[in-house]
Amino acid sequence: MAIKYIFVCIYPHITYLQHIYPVLSAHARLLYSIYTQTDIYLCQQIYPEPMANCPQATLRCRKTTPGVVHRAARAKMAAELHSRSGKLIGLSNSNRTAQRNQPVQEFNHGLVLSREPLRDRDVFTVRIDKKVNSWSGSIEIGVTALDPAGLEFPSSATGLKGGSWIVSGCSVLKDGRSVLEEYGRDLDQLGEGDRVGIQRNGKGELHLWVNGQDCGTAASGLPSRLWAVVDLYGKCTQVTVVSCEPPPEVDGEEDEEVEDEVVSTQPVSIMADACSSSNSSPAGSSGGVAGLGVATGGMTTNDALLFHEKCGTLIKLSNNNKTAERRRPLDEFNNGVVMTNRPLRHNEMFEIRIDKLVDKWSGSIEIGVTTHNPNNLDYPATMTNLRSGTIMMSGCGILTNGKGTRREYCEFSLDELQEGDLIGLMRKANLANQTPGVVYGVVDLYGMAVKVTIVHNHNHSDRLRRNNAIMRALSPDVGRPRPALSLTPEPDVPDRLLFHPNCGQKAAIISDGRTALRPHATDDFNHGVVLSNRPLHSNEVFQVRIDKMVDKWAGSIEIGVTTHNPAYLQLPSTMTNLRSGTWMMTGNGVMHNGTTILDEYGHNLDRLKAGDTVGVVRKEDGSLHFFVNGVPQGPAAWNVPPSVYAVVDLYGQAAQATIMDDMADLPPLPDDSSEGPTAMSPGSPCSVSGATAANDLRFHQLHGTNAVITNGGRTALRQNCRSEFNDAIVISNRCLRDGELFEIVIQKMVDRWSGSIEAGVTVIRPEELEFPNTMTDIDYDTWMLSGTAIMQDGNTMRNNYGCDLDSLTTGSRIGMMRAASGDLHYFINGLDQGVACTGLPPEIYAVVDLYGQCVQVSITSSSGPLDNSLCTSNITEKSFPIHSPVAGVAHRLHSKHGKNVVLLGDGCQALRVDGYAHGIVFSAKELKTDEVFEVKINKVDDKWSGSLHVGLTTLQPPDLPSCPLSGLSPSLTQLRSKVTWVLAGSEVRRNGVLQRQNYGCSLDRLTVGNRVGVKRCSDDTMHILIDGEDMGPAATAVAKNVYAVLDLYGKVMAVSIVSSTLVEDSGSVKAPSLSPDSCSEGEEDSTPCENEPALVPTVMMFLENHGKNIQLSNQNLTAARVSSYNQGLLVTAQALPRQQLFQVCIDRLNPSWTSSLSLGVIGHSPDRLNFPSTACCLKRSVWLLQRDSVFHNSLKICENYGPNLDTCPEGTVLGLLVDSSGCLHLFVNGMDQGVAAQDIPSPCYPLIDLYGQCEQVTIVTNHVSVVGGERGDMRCQGDMEKADMVDGIKESVCWTPPPEVNPNKTCEYQALCSRFKELLTLPDGYFNEDAKYNLCYCESCHKLRGDEAYYKRGEPPRDYALPFGWCRFALQIKTHCEVSNAFKKWHIAYHGTSVGSLRRILDHNQLLSAESSSIFSLSPVKTEGHGSYGEPEENSAPEREIPRVQLSPTMRYSGLEVFAPKVQFRDPRSLRCHQAQVGFQVCVRPGSYKVGPTSLGISEPLDPRFSNAEIDWITKEKGGTLLYGLLIRVE
């Protein structure tokens, strides 16, 4: 072994350096400069005469091995405890172990001290040996100046006075008083085996050490003579002293950073580092001391730069506090702040490596410095919320105290960093006067950033990789060898635009680099990314033709640009997964680095066919434009850097594409060579020119700073909508003509801001307008509607205009029109709101301010001149013949219809039996050309608004599901699963979109006896006939195979058919049968022929390929998650056929987790699917139902859909069905929740994610009955008897509470209400013993049952509202003779009362007025028992008058605090305080009460169904009410 000399020089003062420094070599001098910060000076240098020139130094020579440092030995302090201790302490193991006697009976008197006073830098360390769970609190440790020899030991360490510092929990106490909160680790959380130490350093500072880690300074100004104190308090019952010595010079760390910790054994490596540090020091520094900060960065002493123990609430530290990770990264995006364990030194690099990212959120890591001490800081959710002493880099900007100070700090954006990238900061010594003296490093693991690790700056491999990444980002070709010319297929044309040979795994390049294809397109749908062989020039168009497509997959070609060089890019499966330097057009949206930045942009690429072309160009101004079939789609992005490569992703259906740079020799399409080359449109983008649209009303190209115009000028949006709320004014491209409507539709809103869209007109030309922040800032020639206020030149002219723009939602339409008289009219959803202002000059421009919540609007097709030439005519039944002019066989209605409809008279009559909607009916057969389908109105109910809707639809009624009764929309205007043309009022709509206004006579004016007909003419137009008069063409381009469709909506309750089919062959004409047993003609024709095989349902099982935590059983019908809370994805092995209901039952829930299962469908084969941790990570062809929202490819497309799946209890049956029109339906306990998503591809596979609470599900193979709502009778409406009809209304409620079962057996709200009911101590005899009659009306429970908001009860029927938000506890009904037979004819009402009145009301079994319900009221009502009504005794005093009792058909009125006062209570389970209200659900005899207006003087409507003039019911009649249920609401 090689022998070297190590000189260990001990100096009492640093001035002794002058004696040894001149004689050392340059290398040795440098080493002195490195280590002068310690008491030991190490010279690893072979020196021939070490003693000769050092007369005043004491030197000793030792033999040692390379790399091992020896220091002068000093006497160790005894690691023992003092013999005197607390009265319950027993010492053993040579006074090294202390145990508290009677640990279960006593929690204190466990004080022990060190045998000797502590020496500076010595850490007195004990190990926790035993703990018990009987007590709270645990070990306490500290120091005291009191000598244990004469100490009277208190019961606990916090009782020590006279100079004592104790760490208790996470607080520091001096002489029993707290001096520091939230310090270091919480000692109460330590377990058996953990080590705790206490130290006084040479500066008189107190430090706590936990498991070898310094928690920082706890106190300062300590005296020199101190004893260590340990208190075996509470849970801690035994400790052992393990050491009492200074901390080690070098901390051992994990293997992954070995090169950071190992001290080199070769002097050359140390010298190299030291020399490089010295060379980088500022000129003029003596001895290299100025470079000390950088040089010592390589040292890993106990002062190494780590993350502080105290951090954000979701942060988990590991790797000796070098690694920080945010917990629950898919559920939470903030609360991830971490800080360094000490302040940063001058010229010290604080550098971190990004270890993990998630792609669910926007935004990413933020880094900076702060003056706040982490020990004292109350960590915010995100560091940019801190308003003092903080500088952060966020994105590519700098924020100081939460406010932006530099928008473009550098070319990099932190949001574009990838896993493995590094980022660092340094506080420069020469700029120290510009920053505070003490700053800590800060990292905010925000959004996508999940996990980071501190990288010490002497790690050369990490530094080299970082530098290479920076060079690549700045210039993709810097530092790399240029590709050989052999890669270019045509050396004579070196600049020709071709595909690069480096392409996706499943892609191939042919035709000398001009064509890219996926050879096995029917087997795989991705890994088809191809890039251009060189960067695009400015204004150079890259255009490809789609040569070949397959129809197996969803999605299609995607195109864009990227800054990544294809020669060095590791190509992803799909280009939208790339998180840096990439812009892609996908579908009809634009994505930047995997995040959607534009919705509804241009033509949908998923609808292109073979032969269509797509292109992209980056213009000189840095804007990016796309082309579809030669038509420019408008700017898609800005500030795109130069030198970008074109990208094509042959995804999904796209199988082959060819670059179009030379039309002459463009190869023919595959399988279509006879056609020759495809002719390009005149607007080919080779010249970057576009086609002009037919309608010239657009948004002008000049607009506000934050506005973006897309879709050929038809769409306007506000970019950065969550960080900017104004500067988004847009204006029409020309003046509006008199009578011309400028109408827009709101397409996107955010809930971040207050205020919303503002709209109006201005005389100012766009070229002359200096766009302000908001349009109401203009003080001349401008008229605006803002909220409900009409403003002229920035001043309010009038308030409370007919509409409120702030209340509009997505899908609402706003129109503006200047009449010839100079009046300005606004239109909301096609309805004129009246004159807003008068005297407007001609030649005005429409102006829209995308303000606040409003983000995106588009010009509608209704914009243009209003056609008012068609006026309504006064048509009566006597004007035209009653009978239909068409002879033949009578029409019939189809057996599939809305759930509130009953068919009578052999399918010739339709009756709506409940509500005002769900009344859709169809013709039994498709209409032939020029065939009229006509009905007569038989009954109307004027209490409803709206009227009959009529039209044509391509929806096939036989394809509708038969279970449940209907999956139809509530009204015909919402029927959009297939193309539907409908006339509603005087508006013609196609799939809900307005096509025409003021068509013919308004259907809202029709009454009993009027006839309405519809026909499809030979010219493909739809005509409406009213009382036999043809109103003319209502719609054009109507499909051939259509059914007549009617909606018994609003006031129209019943219709009957009066038309017949066209006369056919005599053999086919059948007289209509009146026998109820015979089938209608339509039903006979819809029966399958004998040779047609019967439809056999597909047997569904789970696929063997699933998430790693899934275990299948029961022949793959049952799936269980066996560990953790995620990795529980499941798909079925079989595709889901159309019209087949797939159902699973929730078998087991684990309340330890939050959230629950999600389910949906996936549009591609799952056989080789690589399952992520959760379903929300799936990005391609996935439709997912999660909580109460619908997601498509991880983007939310619908909210408030159905019940919240997180609240579904065990036993809930969830189902999925894709109907014949490709619409996805969710079924809950057999009840259809309506259309969740459209355009579901075929085949598709059911997908289930056993997440969070949901641990096991089983596929349901048998039929599950439908769970009813408020009604208990579930008979088919066709089976109803005449006795069941009360004035045309179905009556199905008997006098006893309906047998409704609350499907949400684990409803927390119902449990909370039950606990409050128990606190009332009401006798159980008052309540129904059967708990199934107790109903919770919280949002989740009533949606799970499918309850409607309003029902009818009684004779005559009367509406009442369900008590949403309350919980009902059924009462034990004690009937008397009159009630037993007549109860089902009574009405339902509600009564609010106080908690103090409950017992008195229940005792009397009748409601009491507010005056008589007090417990101090006199003369109680005489009763013989609960609910008894006996005759008065002889000579008894006459009974006093029954006081008036307030009732209401809705709890929105009876539940007001004036009727039902709130009381506060503490939940015995959670110990949280809540407020509660109580009331009663009662049955009230018709005629026993008087209906009147509200007595509170409230003008605002309380319930949309009930007028304030009829919301208060008053009764004085004894026995006129019957208590039905106790209602409780808890806030």
Side-chain angles (χ1 to χ4, degrees), residues 234-490:
K235 295 181 179 179
C236 180
T237 62
Q238 180 176 316
V239 298
T240 297
V241 181
V242 294
S243 67
C244 185
E245 57 186 16
E249 294 293 336
V250 179
D251 290 342
E253 300 194 7
E254 293 185 15
D255 293 340
E256 69 170 359
E257 298 291 342
V258 170
E259 63 265 37
D260 290 352
E261 284 76 50
V262 175
V263 177
S264 176
T265 61
Q266 298 299 325
V268 176
S269 63
I270 297 180
M271 304 301 292
D273 273 347
C275 291
S276 62
S277 301
S278 177
N279 295 337
S280 63
S281 63
S285 60
S286 61
V289 178
L292 182 62
V294 177
T296 58
M299 293 286 292
T300 54
T301 67
N302 59 354
D303 205 21
L305 201 59
L306 305 171
F307 288 124
H308 199 279
E309 289 283 354
K310 187 181 176 186
C311 47
T313 56
L314 292 181
I315 287 294
K316 176 180 69 176
L317 299 180
S318 60
N319 187 19
N320 269 346
N321 289 5
K322 290 176 61 180
T323 298
E325 182 174 3
R326 191 177 82 239
R327 298 183 180 95
R328 296 160 50 201
L330 296 177
D331 298 328
E332 301 287 344
F333 60 88
N334 53 11
N335 288 305
V337 176
V338 287
M339 294 174 61
T340 57
N341 61 331
R342 59 168 175 80
L344 300 181
R345 302 190 180 104
H346 292 334
N347 298 328
E348 181 181 18
M349 173 71 80
F350 173 52
E351 189 172 29
I352 57 173
R353 180 184 65 234
I354 299 178
D355 296 332
K356 185 178 180 182
L357 297 169
V358 295
D359 57 1
K360 181 174 182 179
W361 312 103
S362 61
S364 188
I365 192 169
E366 299 174 349
I367 188 170
V369 294
T370 182
T371 59
H372 295 275
N373 190 318
N375 291 311
N376 307 325
L377 179 63
D378 186 9
Y379 280 76
T382 174
M383 206 61 189
T384 53
N385 290 347
L386 216 55
R387 298 307 183 196
S388 63
T390 303
I391 302 173
M392 299 293 294
M393 180 176 179
S394 176
C396 59
I398 300 296
L399 290 89
T400 303
N401 299 334
K403 297 182 179 179
T405 53
R406 292 188 65 178
R407 184 180 294 270
E408 298 289 342
Y409 166 66
C410 64
E411 298 182 39
F412 298 103
S413 174
L414 301 189
D415 298 343
E416 298 180 4
L417 295 181
Q418 296 177 316
E419 294 179 358
D421 287 340
L422 292 95
I423 180 173
L425 60 86
M426 178 185 294
R427 182 177 183 272
K428 290 284 189 177
N430 56 346
L431 301 176
N433 58 346
Q434 301 180 17
T435 57
V438 177
V439 292
Y440 293 80
V442 186
V443 177
D444 192 348
L445 296 180
Y446 181 82
M448 296 189 294
V450 174
K451 184 178 181 182
V452 297
T453 296
I454 294 179
V455 177
H456 293 127
N457 59 8
H458 67 280
N459 188 334
H460 297 290
S461 60
D462 279 340
R463 192 188 313 172
L464 179 61
R465 180 173 56 168
R466 180 190 73 238
N467 292 339
N468 287 339
I470 293 173
M471 296 298 291
R472 288 197 303 270
L474 287 174
S475 179
D477 295 323
V478 171
R480 294 186 175 132
R482 297 184 62 83
L485 291 178
S486 59
L487 293 179
T488 305
E490 295 184 20

Side-chain angles (χ1 to χ4, degrees), residues 960-1131:
L960 291 173
S962 56
C963 179
L965 293 176
S966 176
L968 290 173
S969 304
S971 68
L972 188 54
T973 55
Q974 300 175 18
L975 185 63
R976 300 170 188 176
S977 58
K978 286 290 187 180
V979 182
T980 302
W981 299 263
V982 59
L983 174 64
S986 61
E987 296 181 343
V988 180
R989 297 177 177 270
R990 181 183 184 273
N991 278 9
V993 179
L994 182 65
Q995 303 292 312
R996 186 171 182 180
Q997 291 179 308
N998 299 333
Y999 171 81
C1001 176
S1002 175
L1003 300 186
D1004 294 342
R1005 299 188 177 187
L1006 302 182
T1007 184
V1008 174
N1010 287 128
R1011 293 179 290 116
V1012 181
V1014 60
K1015 71 175 179 178
R1016 178 193 174 277
C1017 296
S1018 57
D1019 58 353
D1020 297 338
T1021 58
M1022 179 180 76
H1023 289 239
I1024 303 296
L1025 295 86
I1026 297 180
D1027 287 331
E1029 181 184 10
D1030 193 337
M1031 297 288 103
T1036 60
V1038 178
K1040 296 185 181 303
N1041 301 322
V1042 291
Y1043 285 75
V1045 59
L1046 303 169
D1047 187 0
L1048 278 63
Y1049 184 81
K1051 66 180 182 180
V1052 174
M1053 303 291 294
V1055 298
S1056 59
I1057 296 176
V1058 295
S1059 60
S1060 303
T1061 63
L1062 293 176
V1063 178
E1064 301 176 354
D1065 297 337
S1066 58
S1068 63
V1069 176
K1070 299 180 181 179
S1073 173
L1074 298 179
S1075 172
D1077 300 329
S1078 62
C1079 296
S1080 67
E1081 179 186 6
E1083 292 172 329
E1084 290 177 357
D1085 294 342
S1086 62
T1087 305
C1089 62
E1090 297 179 0
N1091 297 329
E1092 183 178 350
L1095 182 61
V1096 179
T1098 302
V1099 178
M1100 308 293 285
M1101 294 183 296
F1102 289 125
L1103 183 67
E1104 291 288 351
N1105 182 27
H1106 46 65
K1108 68 178 184 180
N1109 289 335
I1110 289 296
Q1111 181 177 347
L1112 300 180
S1113 59
N1114 187 23
Q1115 298 178 345
N1116 290 1
L1117 295 177
T1118 299
R1121 193 183 74 242
V1122 294
S1123 65
S1124 188
Y1125 62 89
N1126 57 6
Q1127 299 285 355
L1129 278 176
L1130 288 162
V1131 290

